[in-house]
Amino acid sequence: MSNLQIEQFSARSDNFGVLIHDPEASVTASIDAPDENAILEALKRRGWKLTHIFTTHHHGDHVEANFALKKRFGAEIIGPRDEETKIPGIDRALSHGERFAFGTFEVEAISTPGHTAGEISFHIPAAKVVFTGDTLFSLGCGRLFEGTPATMFKSLQRLTALPGDTEVYCGHEYTESNARFALTVDPENSALKERAKEVTALREAGHPTLPTTILREMATNPFLRWHDPSIRRNLKMEDASDEAVFAEIRKRKDNF
Ligand SMILES: [Zn+2]
């Protein structure tokens, strides 16, 4: 088993592009395809040839370059079964729990709907990494365009069940504004306050705030802290269900 190499770069205004590469098998995947030129530049920088595109969901800023990259490289496009008809050029559709080989690595699809009706996350257990698209962000979660709070709550629970040291890459650099909101519902959380400071410093230096880890998000991301007594007290929801606490936090963020 070789090491999985990862290249993260910015694309469009606030999207992330991510390439993953298995040097042993000489395969390279783009996680989503937000921007053809940014992806071509990253491939050139690393000297990699694109073989796969892993599509998390159908939104235009995640699939825009699918056709162009498929035409140029013949890349295989793998995406969610429940959005099969909306993913340009899709070759292979996955349901929850389905696994496939990427070089010497096994990749597992985790169904994480809520932002869209069929979004999936790509988990590579041997590399301890998950690509969560627009489901889980650092200090935030995706807007509920096609799902209910209950749908997203279940999706986030699937991600928090992953090992804590799993690295998380996501679709957008939203961490700084997410931190401002997070502090309104979880102001006493010292880990969050520390993370918010770190995020400001990273952004001022022009650095990305991702990747993060599952453990770090569980300590700081209010959308994963439905059980936390201090948040519940702030929301006056001490006796509410976990799902109701999550729904309230999501609603407040929509109006923030
Ligand atoms: Zn999206």
Side-chain angles (χ1 to χ4, degrees):
M1 175 79 60
S2 58
N3 280 331
L4 187 74
Q5 298 176 348
I6 302 180
E7 169 86 2
Q8 177 181 253
F9 48 96
S10 62
R12 308 172 76 98
S13 58
D14 55 29
N15 283 74
F16 279 116
V18 180
L19 296 176
I20 61 174
H21 178 73
D22 176 0
E24 197 175 320
S26 287
V27 289
T28 304
S30 179
I31 311 300
D32 288 325
D35 177 336
E36 185 187 8
N37 284 333
I39 293 167
L40 291 177
E41 278 168 27
L43 286 165
K44 203 171 158 193
R45 208 157 50 232
R46 299 300 294 252
W48 298 342
K49 182 184 170 295
L50 193 72
T51 53
H52 298 74
I53 296 171
F54 298 170
T55 301
T56 60
H57 67 295
H58 69 82
H59 283 159
D61 60 322
H62 293 257
V63 300
E64 187 184 273
N66 273 22
F67 278 136
L69 292 170
K70 186 171 182 170
K71 195 172 164 204
R72 188 184 283 264
F73 296 101
E76 181 183 15
I77 301 178
I78 302 172
R81 166 87 55 201
D82 293 344
E83 295 180 3
E84 203 175 350
T85 57
K86 295 179 177 174
I87 309 292
I90 192 167
D91 297 296
R92 181 168 183 178
L94 301 176
S95 302
H96 179 63
E98 274 191 75
R99 288 162 177 259
F100 64 97
F102 171 69
T104 56
F105 292 89
E106 184 172 64
V107 185
E108 176 194 20
I110 303 176
S111 176
T112 51
H115 175 69
T116 63
E119 176 151 354
I120 57 174
S121 296
F122 292 89
H123 178 220
I124 308 182
K128 295 196 174 200
V129 64
V130 65
F131 303 95
T132 62
D134 288 359
T135 298
L136 176 64
F137 294 123
S138 184
L139 304 182
C141 78
R143 267 183 188 272
L144 305 178
F145 288 117
E146 299 175 12
T148 63
T151 319
M152 181 58 102
F153 177 67
K154 194 173 163 199
S155 296
L156 294 173
Q157 281 183 312
R158 283 179 172 159
L159 295 174
T160 58
L162 297 176
D165 58 353
T166 305
E167 287 206 308
V168 178
Y169 287 81
C170 65
H172 292 271
E173 178 58 85
Y174 289 158
T175 316
E176 202 167 16
S177 65
N178 286 343
R180 279 195 292 277
F181 170 74
L183 286 165
T184 67
V185 292
D186 197 9
E188 292 100 43
N189 183 339
S190 54
L192 171 60
K193 285 191 267 192
E194 203 175 293
R195 170 71 169 149
K197 271 188 212 154
E198 180 196 69
V199 164
T200 305
L202 284 168
R203 297 308 296 152
E204 276 172 3
H207 297 312
T209 62
L210 274 290
T212 179
T213 64
I214 292 292
L215 197 67
R216 172 185 243 183
E217 290 308 308
M218 287 176 75
T220 54
N221 185 333
F223 294 93
L224 306 181
R225 293 172 53 72
W226 43 72
H227 53 275
D228 182 71
S230 166
I231 290 184
R232 285 168 163 262
R233 241 186 342 269
N234 287 334
L235 300 177
K236 300 191 168 51
M237 295 182 79
E238 278 105 328
D239 301 319
S241 69
D242 289 345
E243 190 186 307
V245 172
F246 168 75
E248 175 63 22
I249 296 172
R250 187 58 257 179
K251 194 174 93 189
R252 288 181 183 223
K253 177 67 162 61
D254 291 340
N255 299 318
F256 181 67

